Amino acid sequence: DIMAGAGMNAQNIQFMLDNTSLTSFHMSGKKTLESKMKYRNPSVNMGLPSLSEYEIWQTSELAVKEAVEVLKHAGN
């Protein structure tokens, strides 16, 4: 199988189902939240400099439910 990934959501899963033979998809359903961190020092990185210290990635229940609905109706 070829599994489509990177930025998958309900809309582009539907597009792939309609326009390709792909049937496997990988998604995080990610939404980005602002950190509630109060004390910030932009001169000090705690991880990779390319990643924001002030964002929290969280799976969106709504995004996953929307993708599930698209997949439930695939091939009907």
Side-chain angles (χ1 to χ4, degrees):
D1 279 349
I2 296 175
M3 181 181 294
M8 297 307 295
N9 59 43
Q11 292 76 32
N12 55 30
I13 289 173
Q14 185 66 63
F15 177 85
M16 298 297 257
L17 289 168
D18 292 343
N19 295 285
T20 73
S21 60
L22 294 175
T23 57
S24 298
F25 304 95
H26 176 274
M27 66 177 281
S28 66
K30 175 179 74 180
K31 63 180 175 182
T32 305
L33 305 174
E34 181 68 15
S35 168
K36 294 180 183 175
M37 185 186 313
K38 293 180 182 179
Y39 305 104
R40 299 179 179 200
N41 183 345
S43 302
V44 178
N45 271 328
M46 298 300 289
L48 296 173
S50 61
L51 298 177
S52 172
E53 299 275 329
Y54 313 117
E55 292 179 348
I56 299 169
W57 293 352
Q58 188 176 76
T59 299
S60 165
E61 184 177 350
L62 177 60
V64 173
K65 283 181 178 181
E66 289 173 344
V68 167
E69 284 304 309
V70 167
L71 293 167
K72 277 184 184 177
H73 298 97
N76 292 340

